[in-house]
Amino acid sequence: AQKITQTQPGMFVQEKEAVTLDCTYDTSDQSYGLFWYKQPSSGEMIFLIYQGSYDEQNATEGRYSLNFQKARKSANLVISASQLGDSAMYFCAMREGPGSNYQLIWGAGTKLIIKP
Amino acid sequence: ETGVTQTPRHLVMGMTNKKSLKCEQHLGHNAMYWYKQSAKKPLELMFVYSLEERVENNSVPSRFSPECPNSSHLFLHLHTLQPEDSALYLCASSPQSSGNTIYFGEGSWLTVV
């Protein structure tokens, strides 16, 4: 079974609109972490935002926020006021268990294209 | 500018060649990783080094040989590769004691001909 599911292979969004990228996860661990990364066509994987399973508040970093719904096991990334430079692949990833970065499990990614 | 630097950014090699990918991190991290990213596949973890000791080897063929001479440097030695090994190879690092963030380099695009 897929541990990380990103259901949107690709999305087109008008510049300045908000974007929601979906991510659902499957784990039986109580302690886990959820990550979002951005990968432009250049290849670099850029860390965007992190949410711990025990964090009570949704994580926010500038224009990025994570809509964490624990009961539904979803961790959607919201980008407010999208910009042309946001066009990239976006990956959701999960770390199961405390403190072990080795075990990052990755989704297949969503390709986001921002239209001018 | 990323704190994790990978060279070369692009590499084309024949199946009989021997080459190496290099990764250097300037973040003071104790753990370093090699990932492989093929088209239309999730990232695959290849190797993990923690405090210069290999702690993870995800059934990677022996034609890939990692080396971690110190906590700031990580190499991936390549020999007798196959065309299906063509991919983006990403190096990453993280603090040993923190579970929050892994930082990636810009990747090395490898083409095996």
Side-chain angles (χ1 to χ4, degrees):
Chain A
Q2 295 269 10
K3 289 244 178 180
I4 293 283
T5 303
Q6 294 182 252
T7 57
Q8 308 147 312
M11 285 184 74
F12 287 89
V13 172
Q14 200 68 41
E15 187 181 9
K16 298 180 186 172
E17 288 184 354
V19 182
T20 298
L21 303 179
D22 296 340
C23 174
T24 57
Y25 60 92
D26 182 24
T27 181
S28 55
D29 284 0
Q30 296 302 307
S31 175
Y32 53 89
L34 297 155
F35 302 73
W36 276 95
Y37 283 85
K38 171 185 178 182
Q39 187 179 40
S41 56
S42 59
E44 182 186 1
M45 196 72 79
I46 302 167
F47 167 75
L48 295 179
I49 199 166
Y50 168 83
Q51 180 86 40
S53 58
Y54 292 121
D55 294 341
E56 294 185 355
Q57 306 272 0
N58 284 346
T60 60
E61 290 284 350
R63 292 187 301 114
Y64 304 107
S65 61
L66 201 151
N67 184 2
F68 181 45
Q69 298 189 41
K70 197 169 180 176
R72 298 177 63 181
K73 293 190 174 177
S74 78
N76 298 341
L77 176 71
V78 180
I79 307 174
S80 63
S82 59
Q83 302 170 357
L84 296 178
D86 294 332
S87 294
M89 284 290 293
Y90 288 80
F91 292 93
C92 179
M94 175 174 66
R95 169 184 51 77
E96 289 183 296
S100 173
N101 275 325
Y102 323 148
Q103 309 302 331
L104 272 188
I105 302 161
W106 294 81
T110 295
K111 183 162 187 173
L112 176 64
I113 297 174
I114 307 297
K115 299 182 292 182
Chain B
E1 183 184 321
T2 178
V4 181
T5 307
Q6 288 186 241
T7 54
R9 294 294 321 280
H10 296 87
L11 177 63
V12 180
M13 60 185 288
M15 289 190 283
T16 58
N17 290 160
K18 287 186 181 180
K19 297 284 184 185
S20 296
L21 304 180
K22 179 183 175 182
C23 178
E24 185 174 358
Q25 57 98 359
H26 314 279
L27 301 167
H29 291 168
N30 291 324
M32 295 187 77
Y33 312 75
W34 279 116
Y35 280 87
K36 176 184 177 183
Q37 187 178 26
S38 305
K40 298 181 182 178
K41 281 187 171 183
L43 265 71
E44 301 171 58
L45 179 63
M46 299 176 73
F47 300 105
V48 181
Y49 276 82
S50 175
L51 296 171
E52 302 153 41
E53 183 180 336
R54 192 190 310 179
V55 294
E56 187 89 4
N57 177 347
N58 275 355
S59 303
V60 179
S62 59
R63 57 185 184 270
F64 294 92
S65 173
E67 178 191 1
C68 187
N70 54 62
S71 59
S72 299
H73 293 87
L74 185 65
F75 295 89
L76 188 63
H77 303 300
L78 315 168
H79 64 99
T80 59
L81 294 193
Q82 305 297 312
E84 60 264 28
D85 297 322
S86 299
L88 176 67
Y89 289 85
L90 287 158
C91 175
S93 72
S94 68
Q96 183 64 27
S97 58
S98 166
N100 287 7
T101 310
I102 293 182
Y103 293 94
F104 284 82
E106 293 178 303
S108 294
W109 292 95
L110 173 66
T111 303
V112 181
V113 297

